[in-house]
Amino acid sequence: MEKMGFWVYCVIENKGPLTIVPPPVVLPEAGLTKLDRPKVPTTGGGIEAQGIHGTSPIEVVAHGDFAAVVSEEPLKKYHLTRDFLMAHQLVNEKVMQIQPVLPVKFCTLAETKDQIVRQVLKRQEKVKEFQETFAKIQGKSELGLRARWKNLDEVFSKLSQENEKVIAAKEKVMKMALQERHTALIDVGHVVKEALEEKNIKTAETLIHELAPWAVQHKKQNVLGDVNIMNVAFLVEDEKQASFDEVVNDLEVRYGSQIQFKYVGPIPPFNFVEIVIQLEEEGGKPKSKAELIERS
């Protein structure tokens, strides 16, 4: 039988009971929503959320000014998969619907609830960290904006017509003898790729320049593939979210024929806050991350 522990999703301020109930069960045969949900002990009633495997109820371990949101899960190595990451983030997002959260680093597992209380919620250095971090995000939320080209062929076509380096490289090839062109065309491909990278960077800078004044902070995320222009997280004060929305809508109007935007939020400040909790085994050394996570 697997040894069980507690997966820690986030830290919240201890404001009393937090109602968490399991989500409705969807019957696959008929696609209907099952109304007779299983009853689980809760501290109140409100948000719908399940644990990392979708089978364990979400619970709250509270002490003093703060509480940890957890679910009982097997103590084992976990693959760093999209499903687990999404499940971890979803719990944070659900709890955020009730009150602000400090997301805890993915795959933080405690052996017991008592361990969470003694090694986290009672420790003055962690309490101070929670106080300072909550003060930092007070009245703010994370908003994310991704941008990608709708038609990459059109972008390449314009580069061939407008970019001086690309035009020069193509003209140079056309002056060569046919038997010399093969290698030279590869070089033209490199020039076109560099031109696209420059265009993506400049376009991203233009978009960010218009949004940044409305945000307290922003962080660029890695983008993969020529078609993707940017993926940026913004930390925005709640009172400025409406203005931020207007700027995003204006960008959509001006660039929507060429660029596809994906706007998400408000979400927990995953890109600006990550609480790292290093739990010590009972009477032993801290458990390393490598002991808990496997990359698939």
Side-chain angles (χ1 to χ4, degrees):
M1 185 176 178
E2 285 184 306
K3 185 178 180 181
M4 302 298 286
F6 292 88
W7 185 290
V8 186
Y9 299 90
C10 56
V11 172
I12 59 177
E13 292 178 306
N14 185 12
K15 296 182 178 178
L18 177 67
T19 299
I20 304 171
V21 297
V25 177
V26 176
L27 301 177
E29 299 84 2
L32 300 176
T33 299
K34 191 176 183 181
L35 298 178
D36 54 336
R37 304 171 188 172
K39 293 181 179 179
V40 296
T42 67
T43 54
I47 63 169
E48 294 178 342
Q50 287 279 52
I52 197 80
H53 289 96
T55 55
S56 302
I58 300 298
E59 305 174 62
V60 173
V61 179
H63 177 84
D65 293 335
F66 299 101
V69 178
V70 306
S71 68
E72 188 173 20
E73 309 291 350
L75 278 176
K76 63 177 185 179
K77 287 187 176 181
Y78 282 85
H79 293 287
L80 188 57
T81 65
R82 184 175 184 275
D83 286 346
F84 282 143
L85 281 170
M86 292 294 289
H88 179 81
Q89 292 184 1
L90 184 61
V91 172
N92 274 273
E93 290 173 14
K94 291 288 186 180
V95 177
M96 184 191 168
Q97 295 173 7
I98 303 294
Q99 62 186 85
V101 304
L102 300 183
V104 172
K105 191 175 181 65
F106 177 80
C107 199
T108 297
L109 281 158
E111 295 181 53
T112 64
K113 293 180 182 178
D114 181 63
Q115 187 185 25
I116 296 172
V117 172
R118 286 187 292 102
Q119 297 188 23
V120 181
L121 301 176
K122 278 187 173 181
R123 283 200 171 166
Q124 286 306 306
E125 62 269 28
K126 297 306 293 183
V127 170
K128 183 180 179 184
E129 178 186 356
F130 300 154
Q131 289 171 336
E132 292 175 348
T133 310
F134 268 114
K136 174 185 171 185
I137 66 163
Q138 183 71 33
K140 306 179 187 75
S141 299
E142 179 174 324
L143 303 172
L145 186 66
R146 298 178 187 176
R148 70 197 308 269
W149 298 112
K150 284 185 172 177
N151 189 329
L152 194 56
D153 289 339
E154 281 187 5
V155 178
F156 281 129
S157 177
K158 284 188 177 180
L159 285 174
S160 297
Q161 299 169 26
E162 300 172 358
N163 187 281
E164 293 181 359
K165 292 180 181 176
V166 175
I167 292 172
K170 291 176 68 177
E171 288 178 348
K172 182 179 177 181
V173 171
M174 295 306 293
K175 294 176 182 176
M176 293 180 176
L178 285 175
Q179 61 271 24
E180 297 175 339
R181 289 184 182 180
H182 179 70
T183 303
L185 284 172
I186 295 175
D187 293 336
V188 172
H190 291 313
V191 174
V192 172
K193 184 172 179 60
E194 288 177 3
L196 178 63
E197 290 173 352
E198 289 176 3
K199 185 177 181 65
N200 284 352
I201 290 171
K202 287 181 180 177
T203 304
E205 287 176 349
T206 298
L207 299 174
I208 293 170
H209 178 73
E210 301 213 28
L211 292 162
W214 302 99
V216 176
Q217 191 178 354
H218 70 270
K219 285 189 177 180
K220 299 176 186 175
Q221 311 298 309
N222 292 332
V223 291
L224 299 175
D226 294 336
V227 73
N228 292 305
I229 301 168
M230 72 172 204
N231 179 10
V232 183
F234 297 87
L235 189 64
V236 180
E237 293 176 342
D238 295 342
E239 61 186 22
K240 292 185 177 179
Q241 280 189 24
S243 299
F244 194 91
D245 290 347
E246 288 181 10
V247 177
V248 172
N249 289 331
D250 182 58
L251 293 175
E252 167 68 25
V253 170
R254 283 190 282 152
Y255 299 100
S257 61
Q258 307 168 55
I259 298 174
Q260 180 180 2
F261 293 98
K262 184 175 183 181
Y263 185 34
V264 297
I267 59 175
F270 296 114
N271 288 290
F272 302 96
V273 172
E274 184 179 69
I275 298 298
V276 177
I277 296 173
Q278 195 163 32
L279 294 158
E280 298 176 356
E281 293 181 58
E282 302 296 350
K285 60 181 181 179
K287 187 167 287 189
S288 71
K289 209 66 187 171
E291 292 179 277
L292 295 173
I293 299 180
E294 284 183 340
R295 291 183 180 274
S296 58

